[in-house]
Amino acid sequence: MKGPVWYELKHICKQTGARYGILHTPHGDFETPIFMPVGTQATVKTLVPEEIKTVSDGLILGNTYHLWLQPGDEIIKEFGGIRGFMNWDGALLTDSGGFQVFSLQEIRKITEEGVYFRHHKSGEKLFLSPEKSIEIQTNLGADIMMAFDECPPFYESEVYLKDSVNRTLRWAKRCMDSHHNKENQALFGIVQGGPYKELRKYAMDKLEEINFPGYSIGGLSVGETKEEMYEMLRYLKDIMPQNKSRYLMGVGSPDDLIMGAMLGIDMFDCVLPSRNARHGSAFTSLGRVQVKNQSLKHDHSPLDPNCDCYVCKNFSRGYLNHLIKANEILGMRLLTYHNLYFLKNLMHNIRKAIKEDRLLDFAKEQMIKLGYKHKVEEFL
């Protein structure tokens, strides 16, 4: 299916069934699997756009809920959307605001019409519907938009989840019906269903009837075990369309990126690399490093001896330890830069391994090096 955004499946790894492909957008073509940095407030925290280009593959996220509240989607539209507002010439994906239905449980009410909120800071009354979500995302100028959904807790009852999934499906149809810029912006449907495979299959089948150009997997990494998440991905791998993008929302730790790619995922996003950086935690080829640790105070070595990013080529662990302990913004900037660069490089190596039909070998090797204990073969 060709349109403003479409997916070309180029190769399937013989070891794992992982997918290598190309995602085409109005603002660039991107090799997949791909990790997308999150720019919640029209900024990847602490980084300028030139730095974002270096540490990403050119596709980033904006947050519909937060940008709707501040500064407002109409204001952002005046500047030419998020891309004009933040001077970003790459591609852009926006979420729907649906995750806030999950994260703001104490201050919202879900109805068939939409969701009534209170502002998480001011307490002001707010209302978000499928139609409003599409209007906001259209104003934000995303290449890829998400259908408005409810993201229920993973362990909700099957009765509740059936009602939730059916409402999300009705909302998905309303989103598609109100989406009037199909020539320039793609709309992805979101597969919900918690831990219930039959419910996930039902949701997938109904979304296919609407015929979205891509599909997101929601309601994972929301409190379930990693084993439960991987098992669900293994199930979905065989029932999702081969010729369309598969986007696992809100997942970004190195082990989850490796496992997710093995289980057929094309797109990932997460705030984890920047959030960890602000708390002094770094991804490295030798496992996670807590930069605040006293043992690093006299360490003259680079943060990651196997990394060629700007941070690792120019600064010692001892200096980074000082910056983070002193709560210096530069420390947060440097660790954010490094963490995103690390994930960009990891995804490059995952794609290379897929094309060479050796992703299982790569995954086993990386799990050991990174200090994870997953037995990757169990989930294939």
Side-chain angles (χ1 to χ4, degrees):
M1 176 181 179
K2 292 194 174 184
V5 173
W6 74 92
Y7 174 79
E8 283 188 274
L9 178 60
K10 293 290 191 180
H11 183 77
I12 295 178
C13 175
K14 291 181 175 62
Q15 277 193 333
T16 63
R19 297 148 52 91
Y20 168 75
I22 305 293
L23 180 70
H24 299 279
T25 82
H27 296 103
D29 298 334
F30 304 95
E31 294 181 289
T32 63
I34 186 173
F35 176 80
M36 304 173 288
V38 175
T40 301
Q41 302 273 14
T43 171
V44 177
K45 291 189 188 300
T46 75
L47 302 183
V48 298
E50 288 75 14
E51 293 168 325
I52 300 169
K53 290 178 186 177
T54 304
V55 300
S56 76
D57 285 308
L59 175 57
I60 65 172
L61 264 71
N63 185 279
T64 291
Y65 172 80
H66 288 289
L67 292 172
W68 171 45
L69 299 186
Q70 171 64 39
D73 55 295
E74 293 286 350
I75 290 175
I76 292 176
K77 182 181 178 181
E78 291 177 15
F79 288 83
I82 291 176
R83 298 174 68 256
F85 195 45
M86 67 176 286
N87 192 30
W88 172 248
D89 60 7
L92 177 71
L93 183 152
T94 49
D95 63 7
S96 69
F99 183 73
Q100 274 67 43
V101 176
F102 168 77
S103 64
L104 302 177
Q105 293 179 55
E106 304 304 317
I107 53 173
R108 54 87 167 140
K109 179 183 177 182
I110 302 171
T111 69
E112 184 65 27
E113 186 181 12
V115 181
Y116 292 87
F117 289 87
R118 285 193 178 273
H119 192 296
H120 62 286
K121 291 183 179 178
S122 70
E124 174 191 358
K125 290 183 179 180
L126 303 165
F127 175 70
L128 192 56
S129 67
E131 293 79 9
K132 183 63 176 177
S133 174
I134 295 301
E135 177 188 337
I136 296 167
Q137 293 183 76
T138 300
N139 288 340
L140 296 178
D143 297 279
I144 305 173
M145 308 189 296
M146 295 297 119
F148 188 61
D149 68 322
E150 180 194 355
C151 179
F154 189 79
Y155 297 115
E156 275 286 4
S157 70
E158 187 172 4
V159 171
Y160 180 93
L161 284 168
K162 281 182 178 178
D163 288 342
S164 173
V165 164
N166 278 308
R167 182 170 51 244
T168 285
L169 292 170
R170 293 191 294 272
W171 285 357
K173 181 64 165 58
R174 286 167 57 186
C175 284
M176 185 62 85
D177 290 344
S178 63
H179 176 32
H180 303 305
N181 193 21
K182 295 180 176 67
E183 296 78 17
N184 300 302
Q185 296 176 299
L187 177 64
F188 282 20
I190 302 178
V191 182
Q192 294 285 359
Y196 301 102
K197 292 178 179 178
E198 289 185 4
L199 199 48
R200 292 274 183 175
K201 176 70 164 59
Y202 168 75
M204 185 68 251
D205 290 345
K206 292 297 182 181
L207 290 170
E208 277 198 86
E209 291 177 10
I210 302 174
N211 195 25
F212 290 94
Y215 297 96
S216 304
I217 300 168
L220 294 179
S221 193
V222 291
E224 79 282 7
T225 67
K226 288 192 183 260
E227 289 74 21
E228 287 171 319
M229 178 172 71
Y230 299 154
E231 177 57 32
M232 183 56 70
L233 293 179
R234 177 168 66 175
Y235 174 73
L236 291 171
K237 181 180 182 180
D238 295 328
I239 67 170
M240 298 186 77
Q242 284 286 322
N243 63 337
K244 294 185 179 181
S245 301
R246 304 171 179 186
Y247 166 30
L248 178 58
M249 307 174 75
V251 170
S253 64
D255 57 332
D256 289 345
L257 296 179
I258 294 168
M259 294 297 298
M262 286 206 309
L263 296 169
I265 300 301
D266 307 308
M267 304 163 64
F268 304 85
D269 83 281
C270 196
V271 298
L272 192 65
S274 52
R275 179 179 289 166
N276 278 6
R278 296 194 300 278
H279 291 89
S281 179
F283 299 133
T284 80
S285 61
L286 305 176
R288 190 171 296 189
V289 172
Q290 296 298 333
V291 178
K292 281 186 179 180
N293 283 356
Q294 187 71 11
S295 60
L296 272 61
K297 188 174 183 179
H298 300 283
D299 194 334
H300 292 245
S301 63
L303 181 58
D304 185 344
N306 300 311
C307 180
D308 65 351
C309 79
Y310 171 81
V311 177
C312 292
K313 288 194 294 186
N314 288 280
F315 303 107
S316 67
R317 289 183 169 197
Y319 180 59
L320 296 171
N321 172 268
H322 157 67
L323 292 177
I324 293 298
K325 289 172 74 174
N327 204 31
E328 282 288 342
I329 294 173
L330 179 59
M332 301 175 198
R333 272 174 47 77
L334 294 177
L335 289 191
T336 298
Y337 186 100
H338 166 80
N339 281 350
L340 287 171
Y341 188 96
F342 176 87
L343 294 188
K344 176 186 176 181
N345 190 55
L346 175 63
M347 298 312 294
H348 169 81
N349 289 330
I350 287 172
R351 292 192 294 267
K352 187 171 185 291
I354 293 173
K355 288 186 282 186
E356 295 173 356
D357 297 311
R358 57 175 184 83
L359 184 59
L360 179 58
D361 295 336
F362 174 82
K364 289 179 181 178
E365 173 188 286
Q366 289 301 305
M367 290 299 179
I368 293 170
K369 286 183 177 179
L370 298 175
Y372 297 111
K373 297 179 180 179
H374 309 312
K375 295 180 178 179
V376 296
E377 306 96 317
E378 294 179 1
F379 298 98
L380 293 179

